[in-house]
Amino acid sequence: MPIFRPAAVTVAALLSTLLHAAAVPVLAATTAAAAGEGKVLHMFLSTSEAGLDPAVGSDLASLSLLENLFDPLLRYDYLARPLKLQGNTATALPTVEEGGRSYTFHIRPGIHFTPDPAFKGKQREVTAQDYVYSLTRLYDPALKSPWSFLFDGKLLGDAALKTNFSVDTRIPGLQALDRYTLRIRLVEPDNNFLFYMATPATGVVAREVIEAYPGQAGNHPVGTGPFMLGEWKHSDRIVLLKNPASTAVFHGTPANTPADKAIDAALEGKTLPRVDRVEVKIAEEFQGRMLGFLNGEYDYLEQVPESMTEMVIRDGKLKPELAARGMELYRFPVLQTYYMWMNMQDPLIGGYGKDKLALRRAIALSYNSAEDIALLKKGFAIKAESPLPPNVLGYDPGYRSPVRYDPALANALLDKYGYARRDPGGFRTQPNGANLTLQMSSEATVSGRLRDELWRKCLNAIGLRVVFKSDKKTEIIKASRLGKVQMFESNWVADFPDGENFYQLLYGPNAGRANYARFDLPAYNERYEQARLLTDGPARQKLYFEMNQLIHAYNPWVPLTQVLSADIRQPWLKNYKRHPVELTQWRYLDVDVAERARTLRAK
């Protein structure tokens, strides 16, 4: 249908222009790099970064940068599938004792923070006490860390950190046994604890730096990662420089596929990173990102924007003219679920009575997933049957949602449960005859407007009037946490590859945080609490099945899609492999500068 086509973009003409345009600025930059500036990665971030403090940063742009500036104890093995953790600043995975309640990490000697005036000209080595300090900061009420939930109530004795907080408070759950030995003790076993220790939030910081810039730590990132900050113009341009003190060396699991074997052969035993600089631009507009990539300004493009798919893909394959330039297309199942949530405390659509349940169920039944996937996602998605995307621990490939696209059933439900009357415009009223107008918040973007039209069509087909309130996503999320949004489409990208990370989005006590729907059902909460104590297996699978059924019974969510990302890389980029959890691969990537120059010259 024409309404779902990208507006005001003449795809063929635009692509033709780009394919034949001269790339003088890019060639000039490439020539300069070849002349002595070293190897440079050219990247973009799709949104502006908020700040670069590991305890605070939670947006994708900030996390992408934090991954490269700061070091958690553990990191994912780059090539291993299924996912596997390995030591990072820790020499190896920790020793686990006390039935999964005690973890002892041994930190590699000789890791140093990058230089900063706070160190008064001295080299500053990382110690176990630095990790005690860094994890303790997550409890600081002044920071309002969005990551405190990872440890709150889980570390032995952490109640002392929640009363008259001080970073100097010592608890039995966080102890530096000696200069290089850290022991973390839990109240109860937590199957996902080691995943937490690989998140950017647990990256190590130096107390001297934090205290040298009170309240401004996010503007002075000083870490131990593979890169250090070179230049930074907020919301515009960031340059990362190779950390000359980096001691990271690549060691991976033996690869299985030919592509992985080639990467493994290129990296095994080599120091990281492999490039000298990473130049990052903030590119918020879809069209600008696409044109920049086609013009050779960026080394790879992840998740081709839906509205731009036809520029580069035909019949599910990269267009021949792009393949001829050496570009390669990858399909990647992102650990991400798109969903539309409804506020369970909203007076119009919230509540647990049969009439409100019928209204939400009808809304769910009206959603046309086939049309969404074909027209908006351009075929690069699958229908979300539950909150869990494929490849997350706990995902059941055989599970099918009992709530399918069925507008006839939706109409019948609404007629039966009090919504049969219509106003003069032909739209349904509330059971008491009052006006029934749904308000869905949406992003003020081209993609957001296309989503609005899909929902308008679906809801109007069952007699429901809907209006859309457009705003920036950051503002909508702020209002959502306060319970002031009625309905909104959102998505969740896995912080760690376990089902708990998704099911916690509907856990009652998380209302006001990640539980935007403010769903609070005792039967669901009880099963969630039981499941989080279990490892992946039949017992937990049974609980997840029952939780799925409760979600479909009460419909706080309409699960939408799970994306099959279309990723494209330039021919000069080496060692590229998309990771399911880590946001960037910059430390592993290499650039063939001569090939870049040849490719761009041949355009």
Side-chain angles (χ1 to χ4, degrees):
M1 296 175 61
I3 196 166
F4 297 113
R5 298 295 180 188
V9 177
T10 308
V11 172
L14 197 54
L15 179 57
S16 176
T17 299
L18 262 295
L19 290 174
H20 295 92
V24 175
V26 179
L27 280 173
T30 302
T31 303
E37 290 186 9
K39 296 179 179 180
V40 182
L41 275 178
H42 296 91
M43 303 285 104
F44 69 81
L45 294 173
S46 58
T47 59
S48 299
E49 77 293 352
L52 299 179
D53 181 348
V56 178
S58 62
D59 60 281
L60 292 179
S62 297
L63 292 173
S64 297
L65 296 166
L66 289 168
E67 272 187 354
N68 291 282
L69 295 168
F70 294 90
D71 270 326
L73 287 160
L74 305 179
R75 187 166 295 285
Y76 290 92
D77 184 319
Y78 182 41
L79 300 177
R81 304 293 186 274
L83 296 178
K84 177 183 175 183
L85 291 168
Q86 60 181 197
N88 185 38
T89 55
T91 57
L93 296 180
T95 301
V96 184
E97 300 171 305
E98 298 178 20
R101 292 180 176 84
S102 176
Y103 295 79
T104 303
F105 297 85
H106 298 283
I107 296 167
R108 282 189 291 113
I111 300 172
H112 294 90
F113 289 101
T114 55
D116 189 85
F119 301 134
K120 304 185 186 307
K122 298 179 181 178
Q123 259 198 328
R124 174 63 160 80
E125 188 182 31
V126 173
T127 68
Q129 185 57 43
D130 291 316
Y131 276 101
V132 171
Y133 172 78
S134 300
L135 297 178
T136 300
R137 285 187 74 229
L138 298 176
Y139 288 83
D140 187 345
L143 293 179
K144 297 182 173 61
S145 174
W147 303 102
S148 61
F149 77 95
L150 294 176
F151 300 100
D152 190 3
K154 300 176 184 179
L155 296 185
L156 190 64
D158 72 353
L161 296 173
K162 292 181 278 187
T163 305
N164 299 320
F165 173 82
S166 168
V167 290
D168 293 313
T169 299
R170 296 290 171 257
I171 63 171
L174 272 178
Q175 295 178 316
L177 302 184
D178 58 40
R179 186 171 180 83
Y180 302 115
T181 307
L182 173 72
R183 185 172 68 187
I184 300 178
R185 298 171 67 194
L186 306 179
V187 176
E188 296 291 346
D190 186 329
N191 296 313
N192 291 313
F193 173 72
L194 291 183
F195 289 136
Y196 309 158
M197 306 313 294
T199 61
T202 62
V204 66
V205 299
R207 181 170 183 170
E208 301 96 307
V209 174
I210 302 301
E211 293 181 349
Y213 309 103
Q216 294 296 316
N219 294 323
H220 298 274
V222 177
T224 64
F227 295 98
M228 55 191 289
L229 188 65
E231 303 172 31
W232 186 8
K233 186 177 180 182
H234 280 275
S235 303
D236 181 22
R237 182 173 182 267
I238 305 103
V239 175
L240 303 184
L241 304 177
K242 178 178 181 177
N243 178 1
S246 175
T247 60
V249 176
F250 182 88
H251 293 296
T253 298
N256 295 320
T257 68
D260 285 358
K261 287 179 180 178
I263 295 174
D264 187 51
L267 291 176
E268 184 60 37
K270 302 285 182 64
T271 57
L272 302 175
R274 304 305 300 158
V275 297
D276 301 292
R277 293 164 60 93
V278 182
E279 296 186 357
V280 185
K281 293 181 181 179
I282 305 302
E284 296 185 338
E285 292 296 326
F286 290 158
Q287 184 171 319
R289 299 201 295 264
M290 179 64 76
L291 299 185
F293 174 77
L294 293 175
N295 200 36
E297 296 170 20
Y298 304 123
D299 295 334
Y300 64 76
L301 179 71
E302 289 184 344
Q303 209 152 329
V304 171
E306 296 154 15
S307 58
M308 301 277 125
T309 302
E310 293 176 353
M311 288 184 68
V312 293
I313 295 171
R314 181 186 301 144
D315 299 327
K317 297 180 180 179
L318 195 64
K319 285 191 171 182
E321 54 266 45
L322 299 180
R325 288 170 52 182
M327 295 180 184
E328 293 187 43
L329 172 68
Y330 301 82
R331 288 180 178 79
F332 180 77
V334 185
L335 300 190
Q336 180 180 36
T337 295
Y338 284 81
Y339 59 98
M340 192 277 284
W341 57 263
M342 293 173 271
N343 186 346
M344 295 294 287
Q345 295 178 356
D346 182 83
L348 183 63
I349 64 171
Y352 297 82
K354 290 183 178 180
D355 57 334
K356 299 303 178 66
L357 190 155
L359 177 57
R360 292 194 303 274
R361 174 71 61 80
I363 291 170
L365 289 165
S366 78
Y367 167 64
N368 189 338
S369 62
E371 189 167 357
D372 187 359
I373 291 169
L375 296 178
L376 295 188
K377 300 295 185 184
K378 306 299 182 185
F380 283 84
I382 60 173
K383 183 183 185 301
E385 303 290 346
S386 78
L388 297 192
N391 300 316
V392 165
L393 290 172
Y395 172 74
D396 179 0
Y399 183 82
R400 294 293 179 268
S401 168
V403 181
R404 316 298 292 175
Y405 173 57
D406 192 339
L409 179 56
N411 276 304
L413 269 175
L414 292 171
D415 288 345
K416 181 177 180 179
Y417 286 95
Y419 300 93
R421 283 187 288 180
R422 307 269 182 149
D423 64 19
F427 291 104
R428 296 179 184 275
T429 68
Q430 296 184 55
N432 62 5
N435 173 65
L436 171 55
T437 299
L438 303 173
Q439 183 180 90
M440 183 179 288
S441 293
S442 69
E443 294 185 65
T445 62
V446 171
S447 179
R449 289 190 289 274
L450 294 174
R451 305 296 308 168
D452 294 349
E453 291 309 314
L454 173 67
W455 276 111
R456 191 191 312 277
K457 178 183 176 183
C458 292
L459 294 171
N460 286 177
I462 60 171
L464 295 176
R465 178 190 287 111
V466 60
V467 297
F468 298 93
K469 182 180 179 182
S470 294
D471 205 342
K472 291 184 177 180
K473 186 173 183 177
T474 52
E475 296 304 313
I476 298 171
I477 294 301
K478 287 179 186 176
S480 299
R481 289 175 176 158
L482 298 173
K484 295 182 178 180
V485 174
Q486 186 181 92
M487 312 164 68
F488 180 54
E489 272 196 15
S490 191
N491 69 86
W492 187 262
V493 182
D495 299 311
F496 51 89
D498 189 86
E500 181 191 335
N501 192 230
F502 287 83
Y503 286 116
Q504 58 96 15
L505 300 174
L506 288 159
Y507 180 50
N510 285 344
R513 295 190 290 185
N515 181 358
Y516 302 135
R518 309 178 88 82
F519 183 56
D520 193 2
L521 185 73
Y524 181 93
N525 296 341
E526 290 165 7
R527 286 165 173 79
Y528 172 81
E529 290 164 359
Q530 293 170 28
R532 68 186 300 181
L533 299 177
L534 300 174
T535 56
D536 188 37
R540 194 174 75 155
Q541 201 73 43
K542 180 176 182 294
L543 290 169
Y544 279 1
F545 175 85
E546 293 171 357
M547 291 159 67
N548 288 338
Q549 294 293 291
L550 290 169
I551 294 169
H552 295 309
Y554 288 88
N555 295 110
W557 276 22
V558 181
L560 303 176
T561 57
Q562 281 135 1
V563 172
L564 297 172
S565 177
D567 304 340
I568 311 175
R569 75 164 180 87
Q570 300 283 10
W572 56 76
L573 187 67
K574 309 303 178 185
N575 308 332
Y576 175 84
K577 182 180 177 71
R578 184 89 175 263
H579 194 275
V581 176
E582 292 188 337
L583 299 172
T584 67
Q585 312 90 340
W586 301 346
R587 70 188 64 215
Y588 309 109
L589 299 180
D590 207 342
V591 173
D592 187 327
V593 176
E595 185 171 355
R596 175 188 271 159
R598 283 195 303 271
T599 302
L600 294 176
R601 194 177 295 114
K603 280 182 56 183

